[in-house]
Amino acid sequence: MAIINLIEQKRDGGELTTEQIEWFVRAYTAGDVPDYQAAALMMAIYLRGMNRREIVDLTLAMARSGEQLDLHEVAPFIVDKHSSGGVGDKTTLVVQPMVAACGVPVGKMSGRGLGSSGGTLDKMESFPGWSPDLTLEQFKRQLADIGLVLAGQTGDLAPADGKLYALRDVTGTVASTPLIAASIMSKKLASGADAIVLDVKMGQGAFMPTVEMARELARIMVDIGQDAGRQTVALITDMNQPLGHAVGNALEVKEALDTLTGGGPADFWGHCLDVAGYMLLLAGKAGTVEEAKALATAARDDGRALDKFRALVHAQGGDPSTVDHPERLPQARLVEPVHAGRDGFLAGINARAIGWSCVRLGAGRQVKEDTIDYGVGMIIPVKVGDHLAAGDLLGTIHANDPARLAQARREFLEALTWSDEPVAPLPHLYEIVE
Ligand code: URA
């Protein structure tokens, strides 16, 4: 088979056969297709789309590109969650330890930053020494020992996604329903969870700008999960403004730690409870979502969730004492407050613009080889609907370079829109796809 034929076929609006999709995934994973041709195919798929059969074929081929875990020898029932990507989305850092603390093992394969959205693995690597690179044996042992694992798409698990994800990040091919569905569900199927809660973000800062598009992505992923025998639920949630206050790796870790110790922004905590509630419900720990949320809250309040987080840091090579001393996490040298220049109601905080601005500060990658600057980012404590007076604090920029700080400050102010009339706060949860 010749890759050029697949590229041209898709470019011209044709369908790829099952055999072609399986061949491409195998050949690219093995290094037999170069990045520039894979990128051309990703762009053709981005522009032309895929039908349902092609999406399922791509997902299964990617899931089978490495090992597929059967975790039942170490835990009878495993749950997992995955977000379609957002700005300030540090949900896993709170939800995973809370659910594990309720006695439900969570074996999770996460990703790195993608486009303007941050990645859980980049955030966790703010802990010096912490590594997501686990062998299958280590994955299983850790799940049995402490009930939670946070691994990357390394060699053995869905390696095709590992390569394609990094390529899409820097080739403008992220926001594509088939590519996102295959990327997320291939990881979920390969890592062997029995139940999966999908957090499908919609809005300006998400890859799906409307509820309709988010619903379509959610429906495809839920169907793929159910067909593979996994209980799967998707929550469609808001990403029209950053989630919580912090955007940037170590800043988000600190906010997650705050939230695990009873503080943290209200919108973020509410979101964590929704996701944890559905994970515990699918695991049969509670009869209703409200009961499940009460279990999660109790695990936070009595410190069990924080203990689990410490165990996660320790098990994967980080220093667990940093959890109790977040000031030891990387910090930016320059921290500058930004104040409102006018009175009014905040009508919009463009999450996508904020996400890209943080990438330019160094919190994400603009080319594959970029290294992450863990301490940089923004803290934005205001929310859409807030009434502010001139001089009120809008946020702080954390930077390591004066020129980048000045640019981020400009971009932050440009990302805000104002109204003289009251503005309703944004909803958090739009709908649930089961
Ligand atoms: N998360 C993923 O794992 N993959 C995507 O393509 C988008 C979000």
Side-chain angles (χ1 to χ4, degrees), residues 249-393:
N249 300 290
L251 294 172
E252 293 190 44
V253 170
K254 284 184 197 152
E255 187 161 279
L257 292 173
D258 251 8
T259 306
L260 280 169
T261 47
D267 67 322
F268 177 52
W269 172 239
H271 177 65
C272 290
L273 274 186
D274 283 338
V275 176
Y278 274 93
M279 289 170 80
L280 291 169
L281 189 68
L282 291 188
K285 281 282 166 183
T288 65
V289 185
E290 289 315 314
E291 275 172 38
K293 288 184 183 181
L295 293 177
T297 306
R300 177 198 64 169
D301 290 348
D302 63 16
R304 279 176 292 141
L306 193 68
D307 289 345
K308 281 289 177 200
F309 191 89
R310 244 186 242 107
L312 176 69
V313 172
H314 183 56
Q316 293 183 218
D319 175 358
S321 73
T322 313
V323 171
D324 304 294
H325 294 280
E327 72 282 359
R328 293 183 194 157
L329 288 163
Q331 312 224 19
R333 284 190 303 279
L334 310 169
V335 178
E336 187 178 293
V338 183
H339 296 102
R342 54 164 287 172
D343 294 354
F345 294 89
L346 211 46
I349 306 174
N350 185 331
R352 187 177 154 78
I354 298 287
W356 278 118
S357 188
C358 288
V359 169
R360 285 187 282 272
L361 274 172
R365 296 174 191 79
Q366 298 187 69
V367 294
K368 260 166 72 171
E369 296 71 24
D370 273 353
T371 51
I372 298 280
D373 191 345
Y374 293 100
V376 303
M378 297 183 190
I379 301 285
I380 307 169
V382 292
K383 289 282 159 194
V384 169
D386 284 357
H387 182 259
L388 294 155
D392 282 352
L393 181 72

Side-chain angles (χ1 to χ4, degrees), residues 82-86 109-112 114 117 153 161 165 168 173-176 179-185 187-188 207 217:
H82 204 89
S83 158
S84 63
M109 201 194 296
S110 278
R112 299 192 177 278
L114 197 56
S117 90
Q153 305 105 320
D161 183 54
Y165 193 94
R168 287 169 55 220
T173 52
V174 173
S176 144
L179 296 179
I180 295 176
S183 164
I184 292 181
M185 291 312 290
K187 288 194 281 278
K188 300 299 99 176
F207 301 127
L217 174 64

Side-chain angles (χ1 to χ4, degrees), residues 13-67:
E15 255 183 60
L16 299 177
T17 65
T18 304
E19 293 68 35
Q20 285 175 319
I21 291 171
E22 286 176 353
W23 173 83
F24 165 70
V25 170
R26 253 198 325 272
Y28 182 58
T29 309
D32 296 337
V33 169
D35 274 353
Y36 56 85
Q37 285 181 311
L41 183 61
M42 292 299 105
M43 185 56 83
I45 294 173
Y46 179 96
L47 294 172
R48 290 297 193 165
M50 280 183 141
N51 65 28
R52 189 163 285 244
R53 195 265 312 146
E54 290 175 293
I55 299 173
V56 171
D57 285 346
L58 183 61
T59 307
L60 296 181
M62 286 167 64
R64 292 179 191 136
S65 64
E67 298 278 341

Side-chain angles (χ1 to χ4, degrees), residues 8-284:
E8 288 176 353
Q9 209 169 310
K10 191 40 89 179
R11 179 200 64 195
D12 296 341
E15 255 183 60
L16 299 177
T17 65
T18 304
E19 293 68 35
Q20 285 175 319
I21 291 171
E22 286 176 353
W23 173 83
F24 165 70
V25 170
R26 253 198 325 272
Y28 182 58
T29 309
D32 296 337
V33 169
D35 274 353
Y36 56 85
Q37 285 181 311
L41 183 61
M42 292 299 105
M43 185 56 83
I45 294 173
Y46 179 96
L47 294 172
R48 290 297 193 165
M50 280 183 141
N51 65 28
R52 189 163 285 244
R53 195 265 312 146
E54 290 175 293
I55 299 173
V56 171
D57 285 346
L58 183 61
T59 307
L60 296 181
M62 286 167 64
R64 292 179 191 136
S65 64
E67 298 278 341
Q68 289 183 280
L69 286 185
D70 179 354
L71 298 169
H72 293 117
E73 66 196 73
V74 291
F77 195 91
I78 295 116
V79 294
D80 197 354
K81 60 95 37 188
H82 204 89
S83 158
S84 63
V87 177
D89 187 0
K90 71 264 340 160
T91 309
T92 295
L93 306 191
V94 172
V95 159
Q96 188 185 27
M98 270 197 317
V99 171
C102 292
V104 178
V106 192
K108 177 158 171 50
M109 201 194 296
S110 278
R112 299 192 177 278
L114 197 56
S116 57
S117 90
T120 304
L121 303 183
D122 294 332
K123 296 174 215 236
M124 284 301 289
E125 283 176 350
S126 303
F127 289 97
W130 187 90
S131 167
D133 299 335
L134 302 178
T135 64
L136 297 186
E137 272 322 301
Q138 286 169 323
F139 190 107
K140 287 185 184 172
R141 198 170 336 114
Q142 187 174 320
L143 194 65
D145 288 350
I146 63 168
L148 73 171
V149 184
L150 202 49
Q153 305 105 320
T154 49
D156 293 335
L157 294 176
D161 183 54
K163 287 190 79 174
L164 287 172
Y165 193 94
L167 187 71
R168 287 169 55 220
D169 184 26
V170 291
T171 54
T173 52
V174 173
S176 144
T177 300
L179 296 179
I180 295 176
S183 164
I184 292 181
M185 291 312 290
S186 63
K187 288 194 281 278
K188 300 299 99 176
L189 299 186
S191 56
D194 298 291
I196 304 160
V197 174
L198 299 167
D199 181 8
V200 181
K201 304 283 187 203
M202 89 86 203
Q204 244 175 1
F207 301 127
M208 300 290 119
T210 64
V211 171
E212 290 68 34
M213 290 174 78
R215 189 185 297 131
E216 186 198 333
L217 174 64
R219 186 75 266 158
I220 291 171
M221 293 197 292
V222 168
D223 287 350
I224 293 173
Q226 306 281 16
D227 287 351
R230 320 296 170 89
Q231 292 182 50
T232 312
V233 169
L235 314 183
I236 299 183
T237 63
D238 186 70
M239 188 38 69
N240 280 301
Q241 60 185 343
L243 181 60
H245 298 168
V247 185
N249 300 290
L251 294 172
E252 293 190 44
V253 170
K254 284 184 197 152
E255 187 161 279
L257 292 173
D258 251 8
T259 306
L260 280 169
T261 47
D267 67 322
F268 177 52
W269 172 239
H271 177 65
C272 290
L273 274 186
D274 283 338
V275 176
Y278 274 93
M279 289 170 80
L280 291 169
L281 189 68
L282 291 188

